[in-house]
Amino acid sequence: MKLTQYFSKLLTESVNLNATRLGDLDTRVSRITEALKAASSLDGRVLDTVPQGSWAHETIIRPAAELEFDADFLVQLSEDAAWNENPRSYANAVWSALSDHNIYGGMSSKKDRCVRVTYSNDCHIDIITYVVMSNGRQVIVNRNTNEFEDTNPVGFSEWIQEKDRLTNGNLRKVIRLLKYLRDHQGAFRLKSVLLTTLVGNIVDNWRDHDGDYYKDVPTTLLHLVEDLDRWMQAQWSKPPLVDPSCPMTSFDHRWTDSQFAAFRDRIHDLAPKIRNAFDAPTVDESIAAWQKVFGTAFPGSVATATTASASGAIKSADVRRAPKEQFIEEMFPVQLTETVTITCDVSPPHDLNRVQRRALRSGAGHVPKRRDLYFAVDGTTVNGPFVVYWKVRNSGFEAEKNRSLRGEITRDAGQRRKKESTLYAGQHYVECYVVKDGICVARSREPVVII
Ligand SMILES: [Mg+2]
């Protein structure tokens, strides 16, 4: 059995990085950004910061005990013709800014492509120097070789989002589950960027026509792992792997032939175990079989949604309540039997560069400050009449500093739209709830990262 609710509980209680730690990450990134902007070595060259990697793709997971999680962001510097002759100049300026800083000096270390700021026993943040050249070329700096390397961070995020849409929002959850198997269960070893690219490549566009193939988390997990296994078994040797957002960049140097072979063999072991658990005929047998895959973190039971006790417990432990924040569970019984999807439009900006415009068009979730956002219900399976409610929750250092944390739930006046202005940097979200006959039957969340 696929046990969809058990998977939700597994994700919430054991796999996902909890909201407090994500909030702390926002605060830390804001403070590092302020330090970079103030640094004399950078002298006003900091144009922007762009989340990257698992942080941007929402595939960060809770680290195994005693380990740190990792977050990457790019600091975009203005182009300097003199520095282009010696690409290391860019990276050295970022290194000076952090290593000379009274707080970050002792926390910073130099890597080939980044400066790493380490918060012991919690996380490290990699700050990667990034330049968009006047000819449109996007590069990061490799300090070791003193060369520029092509990159396309927004393109990679767009690619993941497109694949996630094709799987009804299940791809990123499956990637998190696979990373959990890697980090907590020792199921295999593979760099995150390779895992994300391989699994994303497996998502088939034509499956879109078979609405059930990526229907929910366990079904998507089963199909992606089985399809990945089939594809890997057909490879004679390490297949060429290209950065999906940057065809000039190959990932071949990121892994060896023997790493490929080991990964292929481990996935070949894993696929039948997942099939077994999925096909087990009773709940008890299925739980036992899923626990063979995920260990004891796979829940042995789930509380029914109507009691609201399970979600209430998670919520108060994981999320700091903002002043005036409301939770839908405290207003209505929640029985999620239907779905709702929402869209987000951003007011047309006038002063953005080409990359930023593309980021907005793609709905990449990264929105510059001081724009208007228009959220709208795109579709729902709920038959009318029903009432729509909206919640906007912001977080992050800036909002906190300005005492603007919020999270009230408001009733929609009937137009099924919500307008918001983006004022504070941080990781925010908008949630939409559909309430029918006094019961919340559908909810949807749209992340908004303001930079
Ligand atoms: Mg990193």
Side-chain angles (χ1 to χ4, degrees), residues 70-72 116 124 126:
D70 155 283
D72 300 341
R116 175 164 295 178
H124 59 256
D126 289 340

Side-chain angles (χ1 to χ4, degrees), residues 10-315:
L10 172 66
L11 281 161
T12 313
E13 294 193 347
S14 303
V15 176
N16 298 345
L17 191 66
N18 56 36
T20 314
R21 291 178 88 176
L22 275 174
D24 289 347
L25 177 61
D26 287 337
T27 306
R28 287 168 173 171
V29 169
S30 301
R31 288 188 173 142
I32 292 173
T33 306
E34 284 183 9
L36 291 169
K37 285 183 174 164
S40 57
S41 66
L42 287 166
D43 194 24
R45 292 166 193 266
V46 176
L47 295 180
D48 207 351
T49 53
V50 184
Q52 199 194 230
S54 56
W55 183 35
H57 310 147
E58 297 170 48
T59 55
I60 296 189
I61 63 161
R62 211 171 292 188
E66 320 269 307
L67 290 181
E68 295 159 357
F69 70 90
D70 155 283
D72 300 341
F73 79 92
L74 305 168
V75 54
Q76 185 187 343
L77 303 185
S78 53
E79 190 182 7
D80 181 316
W83 286 13
N84 285 352
E85 304 296 314
N86 180 23
R88 214 177 258 146
S89 311
Y90 291 98
N92 287 344
V94 171
W95 168 247
S96 301
L98 290 166
S99 60
D100 293 345
H101 191 270
N102 60 348
I103 296 169
Y104 301 114
M107 301 162 73
S108 299
S109 55
K110 227 190 245 188
K111 304 263 165 196
D112 284 353
R113 295 180 178 82
C114 65
V115 175
R116 175 164 295 178
V117 174
T118 302
Y119 301 79
S120 340
N121 303 320
D122 190 45
C123 75
H124 59 256
I125 299 177
D126 289 340
I127 298 129
I128 301 147
T129 308
Y130 169 61
V131 183
V132 180
M133 308 278 193
S134 54
N135 63 6
R137 186 181 174 207
Q138 302 174 63
V139 293
I140 61 170
V141 175
N142 184 329
R143 186 199 316 274
N144 187 28
T145 60
N146 200 19
E147 282 172 355
F148 292 122
E149 293 179 353
D150 287 285
T151 188
N152 181 359
V154 171
F156 199 92
S157 295
E158 284 174 343
W159 179 78
I160 283 286
Q161 282 168 5
E162 174 59 18
K163 297 288 184 179
D164 199 50
R165 266 193 291 276
L166 290 169
T167 59
N168 304 303
N170 291 312
L171 171 64
R172 289 191 274 208
K173 291 175 187 161
V174 166
I175 291 173
R176 275 183 241 145
L177 289 170
L178 291 171
K179 287 167 91 171
Y180 181 86
L181 289 175
R182 179 192 66 184
D183 297 350
H184 294 251
Q185 296 298 115
F188 56 84
R189 293 168 68 94
L190 191 68
K191 287 195 170 118
S192 293
V193 65
L194 299 175
L195 180 67
T196 302
T197 306
L198 283 168
V199 177
N201 278 343
I202 289 298
V203 174
D204 266 324
N205 296 0
W206 63 269
R207 300 288 187 194
D208 212 15
H209 303 296
D210 173 2
D212 286 347
Y213 200 75
Y214 303 123
K215 186 179 184 198
D216 48 46
V217 171
T219 308
T220 309
L221 173 68
L222 173 77
H223 287 147
L224 288 179
V225 171
E226 283 190 342
D227 291 348
L228 178 64
D229 177 37
R230 201 169 301 123
W231 182 81
M232 302 263 287
Q233 288 296 314
Q235 308 301 317
W236 288 93
S237 60
K238 186 179 80 170
L241 200 57
V242 164
D243 178 340
S245 65
C246 204
M248 312 281 287
T249 304
S250 159
F251 288 148
D252 289 353
H253 62 286
R254 303 277 189 110
W255 58 340
T256 63
D257 285 316
S258 63
Q259 285 168 339
F260 159 74
F263 179 65
R264 180 191 58 199
D265 295 348
R266 302 305 289 267
I267 291 296
H268 199 52
D269 288 341
L270 184 62
K273 289 183 189 156
I274 290 176
R275 168 57 73 181
N276 223 11
F278 191 89
D279 286 347
T282 68
V283 171
D284 285 348
E285 287 170 275
S286 190
I287 289 171
W290 283 121
Q291 285 180 340
K292 280 190 187 147
V293 178
F294 286 100
T296 48
F298 194 87
S301 66
V302 281
T304 53
T306 43
T307 64
S309 61
S311 58
I314 297 159
K315 184 189 64 206

Side-chain angles (χ1 to χ4, degrees), residues 58 161 344 359-360 362-368 426 428 446-451:
E58 297 170 48
Q161 282 168 5
C344 172
L360 287 186
S362 76
H366 301 138
V367 181
H428 316 305
E446 185 78 18
V448 181
V449 180
I450 298 175
I451 53 181

